Amino acid sequence: MKPAFTIRQQSPIYVGPAADLLPGLLPEGRVVVVCDATIDRLYGPLFQSHDRMLIGSGESIKTLQTVETLYRRFIEAGVDRRTFILAVGGGIVTDVAGFAASTYMRGLSFGFVPTTLLGQVDAAVGGKNGVNVDGYKNMAGTFTQPRFVICDPALLRSLPDREFRAGLAEVVKTAVIEDAGLFARLESTSFGALRTDTDLLSDAISASIRVKAGIVERDERETGERRKLNLGHTLAHAIEKCSARMNHGEAVAVGTAMIADVAVKLGLLSPADRDRIVAPAARPRVRADPSRRRPASFERGRQGQEKRGRPAPHRPARRHRRLHRAADTGRRVRGAGSAIKRSGTYRCGRSTEISSERLSNLPLLFSFSARTLPMPGAYHVLVCAAAPTTDHLTWTVSVRHTVSYVPAGTVVVSCATTRRSAIRIDT
């Protein structure tokens, strides 16, 4: 079977049954399969003749610690440069296994069999492999193309509806970027039809890969055009950091809808086109204000206090209480600078409040890149969700970290790393 696409003449991508394709694509010699327990249980027979190494699941395991564990297991198992690594699973598994393979012994050959819709249309395609560092998204990684990628729509039958919807958010994003035909088909196709009709699903997967493969072919290392593939992701990464209730695809859906709304305010997009984008982007059916949802652990503690007849108010740390009140009232607070400095964020100049009327005069306010490190003349803020009030624009910010970049000479944003805080605009 010929590949449907090939990236940079070295990474063929197949859309078809993995069971038929794998035997002809796996090299002779030793193959080590990296997957999670769920994939091992569901699809173990696909690779039962090969060694298996299981890792966890979820964003929390996408770390250097997991990669280090894999390194040690590779050493214990005698993995060498002749060993082929096959990653089978969702985007987390392919990211971790791809990074481990591309760095172990200066690089091993590897291939991907993504088993989620999000993995097939985005995470496993394009050669980006990386992990998070201290909560910062994808800060350690490589650009290394897999030897092959097999996208089998039949593997998606076992996906829960929520995970399938999360993948659709990436399909919508791709259609918005560069495929009006795919977007029109998504508008006219129901979720149920995509879920059950293999031909419709294969068409959507192939169309999404075609767009991404073309962009990666022209800009593999994201020096220009490939940045378009980050549509909705800056705000999505902020949402993921502030709320454990959303997965990546759901956060991308919300981020895409938010940035479309901003584009309307800036006169870059018509309201009609915004509504067209928001409708399919909202299919994951999630709230756009994840910051207002308490973590499950907080809710359990609160319920326990209520059962014991004790009040359970939300009481932030003392040095942040005034900042919490500022977020609720929109007032400025003296002494915020020291809290900001202690918590590791940055500020300069004089602070003023931003009114909702001034939004149209700040065209770069939302032009953030979530992967830039601190540098002279640049300041960082993690923005989660906008909620315009009567007099001021109130945002939700991270509890611990700042990750986004605002170019020097435009708008410098500073805020304390509290659960809620009024933003200050330095002018």
Side-chain angles (χ1 to χ4, degrees):
M1 181 179 181
K2 292 184 178 180
F5 312 95
T6 302
I7 295 179
R8 305 190 71 81
Q9 300 180 344
Q10 58 181 307
S11 183
I13 302 170
Y14 298 84
V15 180
D20 296 340
L21 290 166
L22 266 178
L25 294 175
L26 288 175
E28 294 183 1
R30 188 179 185 189
V31 175
V32 172
V33 176
V34 178
C35 63
D36 60 34
T38 301
I39 296 303
D40 185 51
R41 174 174 53 84
L42 292 174
Y43 305 114
L46 280 177
F47 37 83
Q48 59 185 356
S49 61
H50 305 297
D51 296 332
R52 276 171 267 185
M53 296 186 181
L54 304 187
I55 60 176
S57 58
E59 191 76 18
S60 62
I61 66 104
K62 189 180 170 181
T63 63
L64 287 171
Q65 288 74 22
T66 303
V67 175
E68 186 177 1
T69 299
L70 273 179
Y71 288 156
R72 290 196 174 96
R73 294 171 71 181
F74 285 170
I75 294 171
E76 292 170 359
V79 170
D80 58 25
R81 289 194 180 94
R82 295 169 296 178
T83 304
F84 185 85
I85 305 299
L86 178 64
V88 184
I92 301 295
V93 171
T94 56
D95 269 351
V96 171
F99 178 63
S102 60
T103 52
Y104 179 77
M105 297 188 73
R106 297 184 177 90
L108 306 180
S109 295
F110 61 93
F112 292 154
V113 181
T115 59
T116 64
L117 181 56
L118 193 149
Q120 292 186 8
V121 301
D122 184 63
V125 176
K128 277 187 179 182
N129 313 283
V131 294
N132 307 331
V133 178
D134 292 338
Y136 292 81
K137 294 281 290 188
N138 301 317
M139 294 304 293
T142 66
F143 287 96
T144 308
Q145 296 296 339
R147 181 179 291 189
F148 62 79
V149 179
I150 299 176
C151 299
D152 183 355
L155 297 180
L156 306 181
R157 293 172 185 161
S158 62
L159 277 184
D161 281 353
R162 183 185 181 192
E163 292 298 326
F164 192 87
R165 291 180 188 277
L168 281 180
E170 290 285 358
V171 178
V172 172
K173 177 211 74 175
T174 304
V176 170
I177 291 172
E178 202 174 287
D179 194 332
L182 172 60
F183 191 88
R185 293 195 295 277
L186 289 173
E187 286 183 304
S188 61
T189 304
S190 67
F191 174 81
L194 279 171
R195 196 77 169 94
T196 57
D197 191 320
T198 303
D199 291 336
L200 283 175
L201 182 57
S202 297
D203 174 71
I205 292 171
S206 297
S208 298
I209 296 173
R210 183 180 298 109
V211 171
K212 183 164 186 177
I215 292 175
V216 172
E217 183 71 28
R218 298 187 292 270
D219 178 24
E220 181 184 22
R221 294 183 173 267
E222 201 173 297
T223 58
E225 186 182 4
R226 187 168 180 170
R227 295 175 184 173
K228 293 192 298 186
L229 295 172
N230 294 329
L231 174 65
H233 279 60
T234 299
L235 293 173
H237 289 165
I239 291 170
E240 288 180 89
K241 191 168 185 61
C242 292
S243 172
R245 299 297 183 89
M246 284 191 184
N247 59 34
H248 178 68
E250 292 169 341
V252 168
V254 175
T256 302
M258 290 173 65
I259 208 66
D261 194 48
V262 171
V264 171
K265 290 182 172 71
L266 298 180
L268 303 175
L269 186 70
S270 70
D273 286 340
R274 183 268 316 277
D275 293 341
R276 290 184 66 199
I277 291 171
V278 168
R283 282 185 177 176
R285 297 178 183 174
V286 292
R287 292 174 56 182
D289 58 344
S291 61
R292 296 182 182 276
R293 299 186 182 186
R294 301 292 190 188
S297 58
F298 178 90
E299 293 296 344
R300 286 194 295 269
R302 188 181 186 90
Q303 291 167 4
Q305 287 182 317
E306 289 173 350
K307 286 181 180 179
R308 292 189 293 271
R310 300 175 186 174
H314 173 52
R315 296 184 63 80
R318 179 176 298 178
R319 69 170 179 261
H320 293 321
R321 287 177 192 161
R322 287 180 300 159
L323 295 172
H324 279 246
R325 288 195 293 270
D328 294 331
T329 62
R331 294 196 304 268
R332 297 180 60 179
V333 176
R334 291 185 179 276
S338 60
I340 290 170
K341 185 176 181 180
R342 281 197 300 271
S343 58
T345 60
Y346 302 80
R347 72 178 295 176
C348 75
R350 62 183 179 84
S351 292
T352 57
E353 295 155 343
I354 177 172
S355 64
S356 54
E357 289 77 13
R358 290 182 57 199
L359 178 61
S360 59
N361 297 324
L362 299 173
L364 292 178
L365 179 60
F366 298 93
S367 299
F368 295 153
S369 170
R371 298 178 182 174
T372 310
L373 294 175
M375 57 189 298
Y379 293 80
H380 292 241
V381 61
L382 179 59
V383 179
C384 180
T389 61
T390 304
D391 300 315
H392 301 87
L393 196 64
T394 302
W395 294 73
T396 302
V397 296
S398 167
V399 178
R400 296 193 314 165
H401 299 291
T402 55
V403 298
S404 296
Y405 168 64
V406 183
T410 58
V411 179
V412 178
V413 182
S414 63
C415 59
T417 52
T418 58
R419 194 172 296 277
R420 293 181 63 200
S421 174
I423 264 192
R424 302 288 182 259
I425 303 299
D426 291 336
T427 57

